[in-house]
Amino acid sequence: MGAYDAELGAAVERAQQGDEQAFARAYRLVHPGLLGYVRGLVGGDAEDVAADAWLEIARDLGRFRGDGAGFRGWTATIARHRALDHLRKQRRSPPTTLIEQDVLEVPGGQDTAAAALESLSTGQALELIRGLPREQAEAVLLRVVVGLDGPATARVLGKRQGAVRTAAYRGLKKLAGRLAQGGATP
């Protein structure tokens, strides 16, 4: 993650000075992992929650202080807060049905079969992670999907490093067991 974090840190620094292309680069570097984390927390509403998080990230970018790894942790904290707000809101009001945005989207230029297989495997992995106890799921998502280190994950979750390390270990061990029971190789 060293070169990745260095590139991210440089992009964030330039973005804070008003470079829109640098912000776009930081977004492209962080968004896939962040979206995977949010999808693990809220499921199908992840795109909307992540978009809300990015609005807050863009608004508050000038206040951020740190390097690339710190930026990933900062964005994960914001995304987590937006996801928890979303989950609280869902509990208070019943969901409404809208036209699926997928129907309205124009197909992309990528290999459809490869994209479908990747989406399926990612979806299956996130579904397995969602089946873990919440603390374990979040620890696994932040460590594996977002790529945060132990201290950064602990800060995002507001827990001790040892508790995060234990939760991630137990979560990964449960996932390995589930995969082994299903005949898949962990």
Side-chain angles (χ1 to χ4, degrees), residues 23 27 31 34 46-63 71 74-75 78-79 82:
F23 183 83
Y27 173 86
H31 184 69
L34 193 68
E47 293 280 349
D48 293 336
V49 173
D52 288 344
W54 277 106
L55 286 172
E56 186 173 337
I57 291 163
R59 183 192 71 206
D60 296 342
L61 184 63
R63 289 190 240 162
F71 184 74
W74 183 68
T75 59
I78 291 171
R82 295 294 67 76

mmCIF file of all heavy atoms in Angstrom, residues 23 27 31 34 46-63 71 74-75 78-79 82:
data_model
loop_
_atom_site.group_PDB
_atom_site.id
_atom_site.type_symbol
_atom_site.label_atom_id
_atom_site.label_comp_id
_atom_site.label_asym_id
_atom_site.label_seq_id
_atom_site.Cartn_x
_atom_site.Cartn_y
_atom_site.Cartn_z
ATOM 1 N N PHE A 23 -8.691 15.581 -7.486
ATOM 2 C CA PHE A 23 -9.801 15.055 -6.694
ATOM 3 C C PHE A 23 -10.393 13.829 -7.394
ATOM 4 O O PHE A 23 -10.706 12.827 -6.747
ATOM 5 C CB PHE A 23 -10.893 16.108 -6.469
ATOM 6 C CG PHE A 23 -12.002 15.595 -5.588
ATOM 7 C CD1 PHE A 23 -11.872 15.619 -4.212
ATOM 8 C CD2 PHE A 23 -13.166 15.072 -6.141
ATOM 9 C CE1 PHE A 23 -12.876 15.121 -3.395
ATOM 10 C CE2 PHE A 23 -14.172 14.579 -5.340
ATOM 11 C CZ PHE A 23 -14.037 14.606 -3.952
ATOM 12 N N TYR A 27 -10.666 10.129 -5.856
ATOM 13 C CA TYR A 27 -11.949 9.422 -5.875
ATOM 14 C C TYR A 27 -11.784 8.035 -6.503
ATOM 15 O O TYR A 27 -12.244 7.041 -5.955
ATOM 16 C CB TYR A 27 -12.971 10.255 -6.657
ATOM 17 C CG TYR A 27 -14.279 9.552 -6.887
ATOM 18 C CD1 TYR A 27 -15.289 9.596 -5.935
ATOM 19 C CD2 TYR A 27 -14.516 8.835 -8.062
ATOM 20 C CE1 TYR A 27 -16.508 8.943 -6.144
ATOM 21 C CE2 TYR A 27 -15.718 8.191 -8.275
ATOM 22 C CZ TYR A 27 -16.703 8.253 -7.319
ATOM 23 O OH TYR A 27 -17.897 7.599 -7.532
ATOM 24 N N HIS A 31 -12.743 5.117 -4.043
ATOM 25 C CA HIS A 31 -14.161 4.745 -4.167
ATOM 26 C C HIS A 31 -14.453 3.238 -4.233
ATOM 27 O O HIS A 31 -15.373 2.787 -3.553
ATOM 28 C CB HIS A 31 -14.808 5.461 -5.356
ATOM 29 C CG HIS A 31 -16.276 5.194 -5.457
ATOM 30 N ND1 HIS A 31 -17.177 5.679 -4.540
ATOM 31 C CD2 HIS A 31 -16.993 4.465 -6.346
ATOM 32 C CE1 HIS A 31 -18.391 5.270 -4.868
ATOM 33 N NE2 HIS A 31 -18.302 4.534 -5.963
ATOM 34 N N LEU A 34 -14.272 1.849 -0.748
ATOM 35 C CA LEU A 34 -15.266 2.506 0.091
ATOM 36 C C LEU A 34 -16.668 2.006 -0.238
ATOM 37 O O LEU A 34 -17.466 1.724 0.665
ATOM 38 C CB LEU A 34 -15.176 4.018 -0.106
ATOM 39 C CG LEU A 34 -15.916 4.873 0.899
ATOM 40 C CD1 LEU A 34 -15.260 4.762 2.266
ATOM 41 C CD2 LEU A 34 -15.912 6.328 0.442
ATOM 42 N N ALA A 46 -26.129 1.084 -1.233
ATOM 43 C CA ALA A 46 -24.745 1.517 -1.065
ATOM 44 C C ALA A 46 -24.379 2.681 -1.972
ATOM 45 O O ALA A 46 -23.661 3.600 -1.546
ATOM 46 C CB ALA A 46 -23.795 0.347 -1.309
ATOM 47 N N GLU A 47 -24.824 2.675 -3.214
ATOM 48 C CA GLU A 47 -24.469 3.762 -4.142
ATOM 49 C C GLU A 47 -24.951 5.106 -3.607
ATOM 50 O O GLU A 47 -24.214 6.096 -3.638
ATOM 51 C CB GLU A 47 -25.073 3.502 -5.530
ATOM 52 C CG GLU A 47 -24.500 2.319 -6.252
ATOM 53 C CD GLU A 47 -23.165 2.606 -6.929
ATOM 54 O OE1 GLU A 47 -22.759 3.785 -7.029
ATOM 55 O OE2 GLU A 47 -22.523 1.633 -7.341
ATOM 56 N N ASP A 48 -26.190 5.155 -3.118
ATOM 57 C CA ASP A 48 -26.736 6.407 -2.595
ATOM 58 C C ASP A 48 -26.003 6.857 -1.341
ATOM 59 O O ASP A 48 -25.695 8.037 -1.185
ATOM 60 C CB ASP A 48 -28.228 6.252 -2.286
ATOM 61 C CG ASP A 48 -29.063 6.047 -3.530
ATOM 62 O OD1 ASP A 48 -28.622 6.463 -4.630
ATOM 63 O OD2 ASP A 48 -30.162 5.474 -3.420
ATOM 64 N N VAL A 49 -25.722 5.920 -0.455
ATOM 65 C CA VAL A 49 -25.024 6.260 0.786
ATOM 66 C C VAL A 49 -23.605 6.729 0.478
ATOM 67 O O VAL A 49 -23.122 7.713 1.047
ATOM 68 C CB VAL A 49 -25.032 5.066 1.758
ATOM 69 C CG1 VAL A 49 -24.170 5.334 2.974
ATOM 70 C CG2 VAL A 49 -26.466 4.743 2.193
ATOM 71 N N ALA A 50 -22.933 6.037 -0.434
ATOM 72 C CA ALA A 50 -21.573 6.439 -0.812
ATOM 73 C C ALA A 50 -21.588 7.824 -1.459
ATOM 74 O O ALA A 50 -20.682 8.637 -1.212
ATOM 75 C CB ALA A 50 -20.952 5.407 -1.749
ATOM 76 N N ALA A 51 -22.593 8.104 -2.269
ATOM 77 C CA ALA A 51 -22.691 9.427 -2.893
ATOM 78 C C ALA A 51 -22.843 10.506 -1.826
ATOM 79 O O ALA A 51 -22.208 11.571 -1.914
ATOM 80 C CB ALA A 51 -23.863 9.464 -3.867
ATOM 81 N N ASP A 52 -23.670 10.248 -0.822
ATOM 82 C CA ASP A 52 -23.815 11.206 0.285
ATOM 83 C C ASP A 52 -22.488 11.400 1.008
ATOM 84 O O ASP A 52 -22.126 12.521 1.372
ATOM 85 C CB ASP A 52 -24.870 10.721 1.284
ATOM 86 C CG ASP A 52 -26.283 10.823 0.760
ATOM 87 O OD1 ASP A 52 -26.508 11.546 -0.242
ATOM 88 O OD2 ASP A 52 -27.173 10.173 1.342
ATOM 89 N N ALA A 53 -21.769 10.306 1.201
ATOM 90 C CA ALA A 53 -20.467 10.397 1.860
ATOM 91 C C ALA A 53 -19.510 11.248 1.030
ATOM 92 O O ALA A 53 -18.796 12.100 1.571
ATOM 93 C CB ALA A 53 -19.889 9.002 2.092
ATOM 94 N N TRP A 54 -19.497 11.045 -0.297
ATOM 95 C CA TRP A 54 -18.588 11.811 -1.143
ATOM 96 C C TRP A 54 -18.952 13.293 -1.169
ATOM 97 O O TRP A 54 -18.074 14.147 -1.290
ATOM 98 C CB TRP A 54 -18.523 11.224 -2.548
ATOM 99 C CG TRP A 54 -17.570 10.077 -2.606
ATOM 100 C CD1 TRP A 54 -17.868 8.754 -2.684
ATOM 101 C CD2 TRP A 54 -16.136 10.154 -2.530
ATOM 102 N NE1 TRP A 54 -16.714 8.004 -2.665
ATOM 103 C CE2 TRP A 54 -15.642 8.831 -2.578
ATOM 104 C CE3 TRP A 54 -15.233 11.203 -2.436
ATOM 105 C CZ2 TRP A 54 -14.277 8.550 -2.529
ATOM 106 C CZ3 TRP A 54 -13.874 10.917 -2.388
ATOM 107 C CH2 TRP A 54 -13.412 9.603 -2.432
ATOM 108 N N LEU A 55 -20.221 13.610 -1.041
ATOM 109 C CA LEU A 55 -20.598 15.023 -0.946
ATOM 110 C C LEU A 55 -19.980 15.646 0.306
ATOM 111 O O LEU A 55 -19.444 16.756 0.267
ATOM 112 C CB LEU A 55 -22.120 15.169 -0.904
ATOM 113 C CG LEU A 55 -22.850 14.941 -2.217
ATOM 114 C CD1 LEU A 55 -24.354 14.928 -2.002
ATOM 115 C CD2 LEU A 55 -22.459 16.011 -3.230
ATOM 116 N N GLU A 56 -20.044 14.930 1.406
ATOM 117 C CA GLU A 56 -19.461 15.426 2.654
ATOM 118 C C GLU A 56 -17.935 15.485 2.552
ATOM 119 O O GLU A 56 -17.299 16.437 3.025
ATOM 120 C CB GLU A 56 -19.881 14.534 3.821
ATOM 121 C CG GLU A 56 -19.430 15.062 5.154
ATOM 122 C CD GLU A 56 -19.989 14.273 6.325
ATOM 123 O OE1 GLU A 56 -21.038 13.613 6.181
ATOM 124 O OE2 GLU A 56 -19.354 14.323 7.396
ATOM 125 N N ILE A 57 -17.343 14.471 1.938
ATOM 126 C CA ILE A 57 -15.885 14.445 1.765
ATOM 127 C C ILE A 57 -15.437 15.652 0.943
ATOM 128 O O ILE A 57 -14.485 16.343 1.309
ATOM 129 C CB ILE A 57 -15.446 13.121 1.100
ATOM 130 C CG1 ILE A 57 -15.664 11.949 2.071
ATOM 131 C CG2 ILE A 57 -13.996 13.192 0.632
ATOM 132 C CD1 ILE A 57 -15.659 10.579 1.410
ATOM 133 N N ALA A 58 -16.125 15.932 -0.162
ATOM 134 C CA ALA A 58 -15.769 17.060 -1.018
ATOM 135 C C ALA A 58 -15.942 18.381 -0.272
ATOM 136 O O ALA A 58 -15.096 19.277 -0.360
ATOM 137 C CB ALA A 58 -16.614 17.050 -2.288
ATOM 138 N N ARG A 59 -17.026 18.491 0.490
ATOM 139 C CA ARG A 59 -17.293 19.714 1.239
ATOM 140 C C ARG A 59 -16.223 19.983 2.290
ATOM 141 O O ARG A 59 -15.794 21.109 2.481
ATOM 142 C CB ARG A 59 -18.670 19.607 1.908
ATOM 143 C CG ARG A 59 -19.080 20.866 2.665
ATOM 144 C CD ARG A 59 -20.274 20.652 3.539
ATOM 145 N NE ARG A 59 -19.861 19.817 4.673
ATOM 146 C CZ ARG A 59 -20.671 19.029 5.354
ATOM 147 N NH1 ARG A 59 -21.944 18.932 5.026
ATOM 148 N NH2 ARG A 59 -20.228 18.335 6.370
ATOM 149 N N ASP A 60 -15.782 18.921 2.979
ATOM 150 C CA ASP A 60 -14.867 19.082 4.108
ATOM 151 C C ASP A 60 -13.407 18.788 3.771
ATOM 152 O O ASP A 60 -12.567 18.732 4.675
ATOM 153 C CB ASP A 60 -15.304 18.170 5.258
ATOM 154 C CG ASP A 60 -16.661 18.560 5.808
ATOM 155 O OD1 ASP A 60 -17.110 19.692 5.565
ATOM 156 O OD2 ASP A 60 -17.278 17.725 6.499
ATOM 157 N N LEU A 61 -13.088 18.624 2.499
ATOM 158 C CA LEU A 61 -11.731 18.244 2.100
ATOM 159 C C LEU A 61 -10.678 19.219 2.629
ATOM 160 O O LEU A 61 -9.589 18.802 3.032
ATOM 161 C CB LEU A 61 -11.637 18.148 0.573
ATOM 162 C CG LEU A 61 -10.305 17.681 0.019
ATOM 163 C CD1 LEU A 61 -10.003 16.254 0.479
ATOM 164 C CD2 LEU A 61 -10.330 17.746 -1.503
ATOM 165 N N GLY A 62 -10.991 20.488 2.668
ATOM 166 C CA GLY A 62 -10.041 21.484 3.142
ATOM 167 C C GLY A 62 -9.648 21.304 4.603
ATOM 168 O O GLY A 62 -8.582 21.741 5.024
ATOM 169 N N ARG A 63 -10.494 20.638 5.373
ATOM 170 C CA ARG A 63 -10.208 20.416 6.793
ATOM 171 C C ARG A 63 -9.371 19.175 7.049
ATOM 172 O O ARG A 63 -8.859 18.998 8.148
ATOM 173 C CB ARG A 63 -11.512 20.278 7.578
ATOM 174 C CG ARG A 63 -12.250 21.585 7.692
ATOM 175 C CD ARG A 63 -13.382 21.438 8.666
ATOM 176 N NE ARG A 63 -14.617 21.736 7.955
ATOM 177 C CZ ARG A 63 -15.806 21.410 8.353
ATOM 178 N NH1 ARG A 63 -15.973 20.747 9.457
ATOM 179 N NH2 ARG A 63 -16.860 21.736 7.654
ATOM 180 N N PHE A 71 -6.246 9.535 4.728
ATOM 181 C CA PHE A 71 -7.403 9.925 3.923
ATOM 182 C C PHE A 71 -8.372 8.753 3.767
ATOM 183 O O PHE A 71 -9.580 8.925 3.876
ATOM 184 C CB PHE A 71 -6.949 10.434 2.552
ATOM 185 C CG PHE A 71 -8.080 10.941 1.695
ATOM 186 C CD1 PHE A 71 -8.692 12.149 1.968
ATOM 187 C CD2 PHE A 71 -8.526 10.203 0.600
ATOM 188 C CE1 PHE A 71 -9.736 12.622 1.181
ATOM 189 C CE2 PHE A 71 -9.559 10.661 -0.198
ATOM 190 C CZ PHE A 71 -10.164 11.877 0.095
ATOM 191 N N TRP A 74 -10.185 8.482 6.981
ATOM 192 C CA TRP A 74 -11.112 9.602 7.137
ATOM 193 C C TRP A 74 -12.363 9.384 6.288
ATOM 194 O O TRP A 74 -13.485 9.568 6.758
ATOM 195 C CB TRP A 74 -10.384 10.883 6.742
ATOM 196 C CG TRP A 74 -11.162 12.151 6.905
ATOM 197 C CD1 TRP A 74 -11.576 12.740 8.066
ATOM 198 C CD2 TRP A 74 -11.606 13.016 5.848
ATOM 199 N NE1 TRP A 74 -12.240 13.908 7.799
ATOM 200 C CE2 TRP A 74 -12.264 14.110 6.443
ATOM 201 C CE3 TRP A 74 -11.479 12.965 4.465
ATOM 202 C CZ2 TRP A 74 -12.814 15.141 5.700
ATOM 203 C CZ3 TRP A 74 -12.021 14.001 3.731
ATOM 204 C CH2 TRP A 74 -12.686 15.071 4.344
ATOM 205 N N THR A 75 -12.170 8.944 5.034
ATOM 206 C CA THR A 75 -13.331 8.708 4.163
ATOM 207 C C THR A 75 -14.164 7.530 4.675
ATOM 208 O O THR A 75 -15.390 7.554 4.586
ATOM 209 C CB THR A 75 -12.905 8.465 2.703
ATOM 210 O OG1 THR A 75 -12.032 7.338 2.635
ATOM 211 C CG2 THR A 75 -12.235 9.691 2.107
ATOM 212 N N ILE A 78 -16.375 8.788 7.515
ATOM 213 C CA ILE A 78 -17.520 9.546 6.998
ATOM 214 C C ILE A 78 -18.549 8.601 6.395
ATOM 215 O O ILE A 78 -19.753 8.711 6.658
ATOM 216 C CB ILE A 78 -17.047 10.597 5.970
ATOM 217 C CG1 ILE A 78 -16.250 11.689 6.689
ATOM 218 C CG2 ILE A 78 -18.229 11.180 5.193
ATOM 219 C CD1 ILE A 78 -15.546 12.658 5.766
ATOM 220 N N ALA A 79 -18.091 7.641 5.595
ATOM 221 C CA ALA A 79 -19.010 6.687 4.965
ATOM 222 C C ALA A 79 -19.737 5.860 6.024
ATOM 223 O O ALA A 79 -20.930 5.574 5.887
ATOM 224 C CB ALA A 79 -18.254 5.782 4.008
ATOM 225 N N ARG A 82 -22.512 7.951 7.503
ATOM 226 C CA ARG A 82 -23.649 8.057 6.571
ATOM 227 C C ARG A 82 -24.423 6.731 6.512
ATOM 228 O O ARG A 82 -25.642 6.713 6.442
ATOM 229 C CB ARG A 82 -23.174 8.424 5.154
ATOM 230 C CG ARG A 82 -22.525 9.798 5.017
ATOM 231 C CD ARG A 82 -23.449 10.996 5.250
ATOM 232 N NE ARG A 82 -23.942 11.163 6.591
ATOM 233 C CZ ARG A 82 -23.254 11.642 7.666
ATOM 234 N NH1 ARG A 82 -22.012 12.016 7.520
ATOM 235 N NH2 ARG A 82 -23.824 11.738 8.848
#
